Amino acid sequence: GNASAITATGFTVNWTAVTGADKYLLDVSTSNTFATTVTGFSKKEVTGTSTNVTGLTAQTKYYFRLYAKKGTATSVASA
């Protein structure tokens, strides 16, 4: 996925639909290892192919990753 509409306290995540996926899970973290996640953004369920991430701290680098989910099966995380 990629980030757009970037502001001091948020951004929009956009991604390409995965064939067969019925929802997506989004992690947002200040760590590239995702040791901790931003409150409300730990495998947050999303339908569609974009979502807004808000309530972030200015001047902070954030990382995000996506999982595709179909039923009870979840993919490996995106880069």
Side-chain angles (χ1 to χ4, degrees):
N2 56 44
S4 62
I6 298 167
T7 68
T9 58
F11 56 90
T12 300
V13 180
N14 307 279
W15 60 92
T16 303
V18 175
T19 304
D22 48 28
K23 62 186 65 165
Y24 302 89
L25 304 176
L26 174 66
D27 285 345
V28 179
S29 178
T30 55
S31 165
N32 64 358
T33 63
F34 292 88
T36 58
T37 53
V38 174
T39 302
F41 292 96
S42 176
K43 290 190 169 59
K44 179 185 178 185
E45 287 198 350
V46 179
T47 53
T49 57
S50 70
T51 191
N52 294 317
V53 178
T54 57
L56 304 181
T57 304
Q59 304 298 316
T60 304
K61 186 171 185 175
Y62 288 91
Y63 300 86
F64 65 88
R65 65 185 176 186
L66 285 160
Y67 302 84
K69 188 171 182 182
K70 180 176 183 178
T72 57
T74 303
S75 73
V76 296
S78 65

Coordinates of all heavy atoms in Angstrom, one line a residue:
G1 N 0.8 -1.2 0.0 CA 0.0 0.0 0.0 C 0.9 1.3 0.0 O 2.1 1.2 0.1
N2 N 0.2 2.4 -0.2 CA 1.0 3.6 -0.1 C 0.2 4.6 0.7 O -1.0 4.5 0.9 CB 1.3 4.1 -1.5 CG 0.1 4.3 -2.4 OD1 -0.9 4.8 -2.0 ND2 0.2 3.9 -3.6
A3 N 0.9 5.7 1.1 CA 0.2 6.7 2.0 C 0.0 7.9 1.1 O 0.8 8.3 0.3 CB 1.1 7.0 3.2
S4 N -1.1 8.6 1.3 CA -1.4 9.9 0.7 C -2.1 10.8 1.6 O -2.4 10.4 2.8 CB -2.3 9.6 -0.6 OG -3.5 9.1 -0.2
A5 N -2.4 12.0 1.2 CA -3.1 13.0 2.0 C -2.4 13.1 3.4 O -3.1 13.1 4.4 CB -4.6 12.6 2.2
I6 N -1.1 13.1 3.4 CA -0.3 13.1 4.6 C -0.4 14.5 5.3 O -0.2 15.5 4.7 CB 1.1 12.8 4.3 CG1 1.2 11.3 3.8 CG2 2.0 12.9 5.6 CD1 2.5 11.0 3.2
T7 N -0.8 14.5 6.6 CA -0.8 15.7 7.4 C 0.1 15.5 8.6 O 0.7 14.5 8.8 CB -2.2 16.1 7.8 OG1 -2.6 15.1 8.8 CG2 -3.2 16.1 6.7
A8 N 0.1 16.5 9.5 CA 0.9 16.4 10.7 C 0.4 15.3 11.6 O 1.2 14.7 12.4 CB 1.0 17.7 11.4
T9 N -0.9 15.0 11.6 CA -1.4 14.0 12.5 C -2.1 12.9 11.9 O -2.9 12.1 12.6 CB -2.4 14.8 13.5 OG1 -3.5 15.4 12.6 CG2 -1.7 15.8 14.3
G10 N -1.9 12.6 10.6 CA -2.5 11.5 10.0 C -2.2 11.3 8.5 O -1.4 12.1 8.0
F11 N -2.7 10.3 7.9 CA -2.5 10.0 6.5 C -3.6 9.0 6.1 O -4.3 8.5 6.9 CB -1.1 9.5 6.2 CG -0.8 8.2 7.0 CD1 -1.0 7.0 6.4 CD2 -0.1 8.3 8.2 CE1 -0.7 5.8 7.1 CE2 0.2 7.2 8.9 CZ 0.0 5.9 8.3
T12 N -3.7 8.9 4.8 CA -4.6 7.9 4.2 C -3.8 6.8 3.6 O -2.8 7.0 2.9 CB -5.5 8.6 3.1 OG1 -6.3 9.6 3.7 CG2 -6.5 7.6 2.4
V13 N -4.2 5.6 3.9 CA -3.6 4.4 3.3 C -4.4 3.9 2.2 O -5.6 3.7 2.3 CB -3.4 3.3 4.4 CG1 -2.7 2.0 3.8 CG2 -2.6 3.8 5.6
N14 N -3.8 3.6 1.0 CA -4.5 3.1 -0.2 C -3.8 1.8 -0.6 O -2.5 1.7 -0.5 CB -4.4 4.1 -1.3 CG -4.9 5.4 -0.9 OD1 -6.1 5.7 -0.9 ND2 -4.0 6.3 -0.6
W15 N -4.5 0.8 -1.0 CA -3.9 -0.4 -1.5 C -4.7 -1.0 -2.6 O -5.9 -0.6 -2.8 CB -3.7 -1.4 -0.3 CG -5.0 -1.8 0.3 CD1 -5.8 -2.9 0.1 CD2 -5.6 -1.2 1.5 NE1 -6.8 -2.9 0.9 CE2 -6.7 -1.9 1.8 CE3 -5.3 0.0 2.2 CZ2 -7.6 -1.5 2.8 CZ3 -6.1 0.3 3.2 CH2 -7.3 -0.4 3.6
T16 N -4.1 -2.0 -3.3 CA -4.8 -2.7 -4.4 C -5.6 -3.9 -3.8 O -5.1 -4.6 -2.9 CB -3.7 -3.2 -5.4 OG1 -3.0 -2.1 -5.8 CG2 -4.4 -3.9 -6.6
A17 N -6.8 -4.0 -4.3 CA -7.6 -5.1 -3.8 C -6.9 -6.5 -4.0 O -6.2 -6.7 -5.0 CB -8.9 -5.1 -4.5
V18 N -7.0 -7.4 -3.1 CA -6.5 -8.8 -3.2 C -7.7 -9.7 -3.6 O -8.7 -9.7 -2.9 CB -5.9 -9.2 -1.9 CG1 -5.4 -10.7 -1.9 CG2 -4.7 -8.3 -1.5
T19 N -7.5 -10.4 -4.7 CA -8.6 -11.3 -5.1 C -9.0 -12.3 -4.0 O -8.1 -12.9 -3.4 CB -8.1 -12.1 -6.4 OG1 -7.7 -11.1 -7.4 CG2 -9.3 -12.9 -6.9
G20 N -10.3 -12.3 -3.7 CA -10.8 -13.2 -2.7 C -10.8 -12.7 -1.3 O -11.5 -13.3 -0.5
A21 N -10.1 -11.6 -1.1 CA -10.1 -11.1 0.3 C -11.5 -10.4 0.6 O -12.0 -9.7 -0.2 CB -9.0 -10.1 0.5
D22 N -12.0 -10.6 1.8 CA -13.2 -9.9 2.2 C -13.0 -8.8 3.1 O -13.9 -7.9 3.3 CB -14.3 -10.9 2.7 CG -13.8 -11.9 3.7 OD1 -12.9 -11.5 4.5 OD2 -14.4 -13.0 3.8
K23 N -11.8 -8.7 3.7 CA -11.5 -7.6 4.5 C -10.0 -7.5 4.7 O -9.3 -8.5 4.3 CB -12.2 -7.6 5.9 CG -11.8 -8.7 6.8 CD -12.7 -8.7 8.1 CE -14.1 -8.9 7.8 NZ -15.0 -9.3 8.9
Y24 N -9.5 -6.4 5.3 CA -8.1 -6.2 5.4 C -7.8 -5.8 6.9 O -8.7 -5.3 7.6 CB -7.6 -5.1 4.5 CG -7.8 -5.4 3.1 CD1 -9.0 -5.1 2.5 CD2 -6.9 -6.2 2.3 CE1 -9.3 -5.4 1.1 CE2 -7.2 -6.5 1.0 CZ -8.4 -6.1 0.4 OH -8.7 -6.5 -0.9
L25 N -6.6 -6.1 7.4 CA -6.2 -5.7 8.7 C -5.1 -4.8 8.6 O -4.1 -5.0 7.9 CB -5.8 -7.0 9.5 CG -6.9 -8.1 9.6 CD1 -6.3 -9.3 10.3 CD2 -8.2 -7.6 10.3
L26 N -5.1 -3.7 9.4 CA -4.1 -2.6 9.3 C -3.4 -2.5 10.6 O -4.1 -2.3 11.7 CB -4.8 -1.3 8.9 CG -3.9 -0.1 8.9 CD1 -2.8 -0.2 7.9 CD2 -4.7 1.2 8.8
D27 N -2.1 -2.5 10.6 CA -1.3 -2.2 11.8 C -0.6 -0.9 11.5 O -0.1 -0.6 10.4 CB -0.1 -3.2 12.0 CG -0.6 -4.5 12.6 OD1 -1.8 -4.6 13.1 OD2 0.1 -5.5 12.6
V28 N -0.5 0.0 12.5 CA 0.3 1.3 12.4 C 1.2 1.3 13.6 O 0.7 1.1 14.7 CB -0.6 2.5 12.3 CG1 0.2 3.8 12.2 CG2 -1.6 2.4 11.1
S29 N 2.4 1.6 13.4 CA 3.4 1.6 14.5 C 4.5 2.7 14.3 O 4.7 3.2 13.2 CB 4.1 0.3 14.5 OG 5.1 0.2 15.6
T30 N 5.1 3.1 15.4 CA 6.3 4.0 15.3 C 7.5 3.2 15.1 O 8.6 3.7 15.0 CB 6.4 4.9 16.5 OG1 6.4 4.1 17.7 CG2 5.2 5.9 16.6
S31 N 7.4 1.8 15.2 CA 8.6 0.9 15.1 C 8.5 0.1 13.8 O 7.5 -0.4 13.5 CB 8.6 0.0 16.3 OG 9.4 -1.1 16.1
N32 N 9.6 0.0 13.1 CA 9.6 -0.8 11.9 C 9.5 -2.3 12.2 O 9.4 -3.1 11.3 CB 10.8 -0.5 11.0 CG 12.1 -0.8 11.6 OD1 12.2 -1.3 12.7 ND2 13.2 -0.5 10.8
T33 N 9.6 -2.7 13.5 CA 9.4 -4.1 13.8 C 8.0 -4.3 14.4 O 7.7 -5.5 14.7 CB 10.4 -4.5 15.0 OG1 10.2 -3.7 16.1 CG2 11.9 -4.3 14.5
F34 N 7.2 -3.3 14.5 CA 5.9 -3.4 15.0 C 5.8 -4.0 16.4 O 4.8 -4.7 16.7 CB 5.0 -4.1 14.0 CG 4.8 -3.4 12.7 CD1 5.7 -3.5 11.6 CD2 3.7 -2.5 12.5 CE1 5.5 -2.8 10.5 CE2 3.5 -1.7 11.4 CZ 4.4 -1.9 10.3
A35 N 6.8 -3.7 17.2 CA 6.8 -4.2 18.6 C 5.6 -3.6 19.3 O 5.1 -4.3 20.2 CB 8.1 -3.8 19.2
T36 N 5.3 -2.4 19.0 CA 4.1 -1.8 19.6 C 3.3 -1.2 18.4 O 3.9 -0.9 17.4 CB 4.4 -0.7 20.6 OG1 5.2 0.3 20.0 CG2 5.1 -1.2 21.8
T37 N 2.0 -1.0 18.6 CA 1.2 -0.4 17.6 C 0.5 0.8 18.2 O 0.3 1.0 19.4 CB 0.1 -1.4 17.0 OG1 -0.6 -1.9 18.1 CG2 0.8 -2.5 16.2
V38 N 0.0 1.7 17.3 CA -0.7 2.9 17.7 C -2.1 2.4 18.2 O -2.7 1.5 17.6 CB -0.9 3.9 16.5 CG1 -1.8 5.0 16.8 CG2 0.5 4.3 16.0
T39 N -2.6 3.0 19.3 CA -3.9 2.6 19.8 C -5.0 2.7 18.8 O -5.1 3.7 18.1 CB -4.2 3.6 21.0 OG1 -3.2 3.5 22.0 CG2 -5.6 3.2 21.6
G40 N -5.7 1.6 18.6 CA -6.8 1.6 17.7 C -6.3 1.0 16.3 O -7.2 0.8 15.4
F41 N -5.0 0.8 16.1 CA -4.5 0.4 14.8 C -3.7 -0.9 15.0 O -2.6 -1.0 14.4 CB -3.8 1.5 14.1 CG -4.7 2.6 13.7 CD1 -4.8 3.7 14.5 CD2 -5.4 2.5 12.5 CE1 -5.7 4.8 14.1 CE2 -6.3 3.5 12.1 CZ -6.4 4.7 12.9
S42 N -4.2 -1.8 15.7 CA -3.6 -3.1 15.8 C -4.5 -4.1 15.1 O -5.6 -4.4 15.6 CB -3.4 -3.5 17.3 OG -2.8 -4.9 17.3
K43 N -4.1 -4.5 13.9 CA -5.0 -5.4 13.1 C -6.4 -4.8 13.0 O -7.4 -5.5 13.1 CB -4.9 -6.8 13.6 CG -3.6 -7.5 13.3 CD -3.7 -9.0 13.6 CE -2.4 -9.7 13.1 NZ -1.2 -9.2 13.7
K44 N -6.5 -3.5 12.8 CA -7.8 -2.9 12.6 C -8.5 -3.4 11.3 O -7.9 -3.4 10.3 CB -7.6 -1.4 12.5 CG -9.0 -0.6 12.3 CD -8.8 0.9 12.1 CE -10.2 1.5 11.9 NZ -10.1 2.9 11.6
E45 N -9.7 -3.9 11.5 CA -10.4 -4.4 10.3 C -10.9 -3.3 9.4 O -11.5 -2.3 9.9 CB -11.6 -5.3 10.8 CG -11.2 -6.6 11.3 CD -12.4 -7.6 11.4 OE1 -13.5 -7.2 11.1 OE2 -12.1 -8.8 11.7
V46 N -10.6 -3.4 8.1 CA -11.0 -2.4 7.1 C -11.6 -3.2 6.0 O -11.1 -4.2 5.5 CB -9.8 -1.6 6.6 CG1 -10.2 -0.6 5.6 CG2 -9.1 -1.0 7.8
T47 N -12.7 -2.6 5.4 CA -13.3 -3.2 4.2 C -13.0 -2.1 3.1 O -12.8 -0.9 3.4 CB -14.8 -3.4 4.3 OG1 -15.4 -2.2 4.7 CG2 -15.1 -4.6 5.2
G48 N -12.9 -2.5 1.9 CA -12.6 -1.5 0.8 C -11.0 -1.5 0.7 O -10.3 -2.3 1.2
T49 N -10.5 -0.5 0.0 CA -9.1 -0.4 -0.3 C -8.4 0.9 0.1 O -7.4 1.2 -0.4 CB -8.9 -0.6 -1.9 OG1 -9.6 0.4 -2.6 CG2 -9.3 -2.0 -2.3
S50 N -9.0 1.6 1.1 CA -8.4 2.7 1.7 C -9.0 3.0 3.0 O -10.1 2.6 3.3 CB -8.5 4.0 0.8 OG -9.8 4.4 0.8
T51 N -8.2 3.6 3.9 CA -8.7 4.0 5.2 C -7.9 5.2 5.7 O -6.7 5.4 5.3 CB -8.6 2.9 6.2 OG1 -9.3 3.2 7.4 CG2 -7.2 2.5 6.6
N52 N -8.5 6.0 6.6 CA -7.8 7.1 7.1 C -7.2 6.7 8.5 O -7.8 6.1 9.3 CB -8.8 8.3 7.3 CG -9.3 8.9 6.0 OD1 -8.5 9.0 5.1 ND2 -10.5 9.1 6.0
V53 N -6.0 7.2 8.7 CA -5.3 7.0 10.0 C -5.2 8.4 10.6 O -4.6 9.3 10.0 CB -3.9 6.4 9.8 CG1 -3.2 6.3 11.1 CG2 -4.0 5.0 9.1
T54 N -5.7 8.6 11.8 CA -5.8 9.9 12.4 C -5.3 9.8 13.9 O -5.1 8.7 14.4 CB -7.2 10.5 12.4 OG1 -8.1 9.6 13.1 CG2 -7.7 10.7 11.0
G55 N -5.1 11.0 14.5 CA -4.7 11.0 15.9 C -3.3 10.7 16.1 O -2.9 10.4 17.2
L56 N -2.4 10.9 15.1 CA -1.0 10.7 15.3 C -0.3 11.9 15.8 O -0.8 13.0 15.9 CB -0.4 10.3 13.9 CG -1.1 9.1 13.2 CD1 -0.4 8.8 11.9 CD2 -1.1 7.9 14.1
T57 N 1.0 11.7 16.1 CA 1.8 12.7 16.7 C 2.7 13.4 15.6 O 3.3 12.7 14.8 CB 2.7 12.2 17.8 OG1 1.9 11.5 18.8 CG2 3.6 13.2 18.5
A58 N 2.7 14.7 15.6 CA 3.5 15.4 14.6 C 5.0 15.1 14.7 O 5.4 14.8 15.8 CB 3.2 16.9 14.7
Q59 N 5.7 15.2 13.6 CA 7.2 15.1 13.6 C 7.6 13.6 14.1 O 8.6 13.5 14.7 CB 7.9 16.1 14.5 CG 7.5 17.5 14.1 CD 8.0 17.9 12.7 OE1 9.1 17.6 12.3 NE2 7.1 18.6 12.0
T60 N 6.8 12.7 13.8 CA 7.0 11.3 14.1 C 6.9 10.4 12.9 O 6.0 10.6 12.1 CB 6.0 10.8 15.2 OG1 6.0 11.7 16.3 CG2 6.3 9.4 15.7
K61 N 7.8 9.5 12.8 CA 7.8 8.6 11.6 C 6.9 7.4 12.0 O 7.1 6.8 13.0 CB 9.2 8.1 11.3 CG 9.3 7.3 10.0 CD 10.7 7.0 9.6 CE 10.8 6.3 8.3 NZ 12.2 6.1 7.8
Y62 N 6.0 7.1 11.1 CA 5.1 5.9 11.3 C 5.3 4.9 10.2 O 5.7 5.2 9.1 CB 3.6 6.4 11.3 CG 3.3 7.1 12.5 CD1 3.4 8.5 12.6 CD2 2.8 6.5 13.7 CE1 3.1 9.2 13.7 CE2 2.5 7.2 14.8 CZ 2.6 8.5 14.9 OH 2.3 9.2 16.0
Y63 N 5.1 3.6 10.5 CA 5.1 2.5 9.6 C 3.7 1.9 9.6 O 3.0 1.9 10.6 CB 6.1 1.5 10.1 CG 7.5 2.0 10.2 CD1 8.0 2.6 11.3 CD2 8.4 1.9 9.1 CE1 9.3 3.1 11.4 CE2 9.7 2.4 9.2 CZ 10.1 3.0 10.4 OH 11.4 3.5 10.5
F64 N 3.3 1.3 8.4 CA 2.1 0.6 8.4 C 2.3 -0.7 7.6 O 3.2 -0.8 6.8 CB 0.9 1.4 7.9 CG 1.0 1.8 6.4 CD1 0.6 1.0 5.4 CD2 1.6 3.0 6.1 CE1 0.7 1.3 4.1 CE2 1.7 3.4 4.7 CZ 1.2 2.5 3.8
R65 N 1.5 -1.7 7.9 CA 1.5 -2.9 7.2 C 0.0 -3.4 7.1 O -0.8 -3.1 8.0 CB 2.4 -4.0 7.8 CG 1.9 -4.5 9.2 CD 3.0 -5.4 9.8 NE 2.6 -5.8 11.2 CZ 3.3 -6.5 12.0 NH1 4.5 -6.9 11.6 NH2 2.9 -6.8 13.2
L66 N -0.3 -4.2 6.1 CA -1.6 -4.7 5.8 C -1.6 -6.2 5.7 O -0.6 -6.8 5.3 CB -2.1 -4.1 4.5 CG -2.6 -2.7 4.4 CD1 -2.6 -2.2 3.0 CD2 -3.9 -2.5 5.1
Y67 N -2.7 -6.8 6.2 CA -3.0 -8.2 5.9 C -4.3 -8.3 5.2 O -5.2 -7.5 5.4 CB -3.2 -8.9 7.3 CG -2.0 -8.8 8.3 CD1 -1.9 -7.7 9.1 CD2 -1.1 -9.9 8.4 CE1 -0.9 -7.7 10.1 CE2 -0.1 -9.8 9.3 CZ 0.0 -8.7 10.2 OH 1.0 -8.6 11.1
A68 N -4.3 -9.3 4.3 CA -5.6 -9.6 3.6 C -6.3 -10.7 4.4 O -5.6 -11.6 4.9 CB -5.4 -10.0 2.2
K69 N -7.6 -10.7 4.5 CA -8.3 -11.7 5.3 C -9.5 -12.2 4.5 O -10.2 -11.5 3.9 CB -8.7 -11.1 6.7 CG -9.3 -12.1 7.6 CD -9.6 -11.5 9.0 CE -10.1 -12.6 9.9 NZ -10.4 -12.0 11.3
K70 N -9.6 -13.5 4.5 CA -10.8 -14.2 3.9 C -11.3 -15.2 4.9 O -10.6 -16.2 5.3 CB -10.4 -14.8 2.6 CG -11.6 -15.5 2.0 CD -11.3 -16.1 0.6 CE -12.6 -16.6 0.0 NZ -12.3 -17.2 -1.4
G71 N -12.5 -15.0 5.4 CA -13.0 -15.9 6.5 C -12.1 -15.8 7.7 O -11.8 -14.8 8.2
T72 N -11.5 -17.0 8.1 CA -10.6 -17.0 9.2 C -9.2 -17.0 8.8 O -8.3 -17.1 9.7 CB -10.9 -18.2 10.1 OG1 -10.8 -19.4 9.3 CG2 -12.3 -18.2 10.7
A73 N -8.9 -17.0 7.5 CA -7.5 -17.1 7.0 C -7.0 -15.7 6.8 O -7.6 -14.8 6.3 CB -7.5 -17.9 5.7
T74 N -5.8 -15.5 7.3 CA -5.1 -14.2 7.2 C -3.8 -14.3 6.5 O -3.0 -15.3 6.7 CB -4.8 -13.6 8.6 OG1 -6.1 -13.5 9.3 CG2 -4.2 -12.2 8.5
S75 N -3.5 -13.4 5.5 CA -2.2 -13.5 4.8 C -1.1 -13.1 5.7 O -1.2 -12.6 6.8 CB -2.3 -12.5 3.6 OG -2.2 -11.2 4.0
V76 N 0.1 -13.2 5.1 CA 1.3 -12.7 5.7 C 1.2 -11.1 5.6 O 0.5 -10.7 4.7 CB 2.6 -13.2 5.1 CG1 2.7 -14.7 5.4 CG2 2.7 -12.9 3.7
A77 N 2.0 -10.4 6.4 CA 1.9 -9.0 6.3 C 2.6 -8.4 5.0 O 3.5 -9.0 4.5 CB 2.6 -8.4 7.5
S78 N 2.1 -7.3 4.6 CA 2.7 -6.6 3.5 C 4.0 -6.0 3.9 O 4.3 -5.9 5.1 CB 1.8 -5.4 3.0 OG 1.7 -4.5 4.1
A79 N 4.8 -5.6 3.0 CA 6.1 -4.9 3.3 C 5.9 -3.6 4.0 O 4.9 -2.9 3.8 CB 6.9 -4.7 2.0

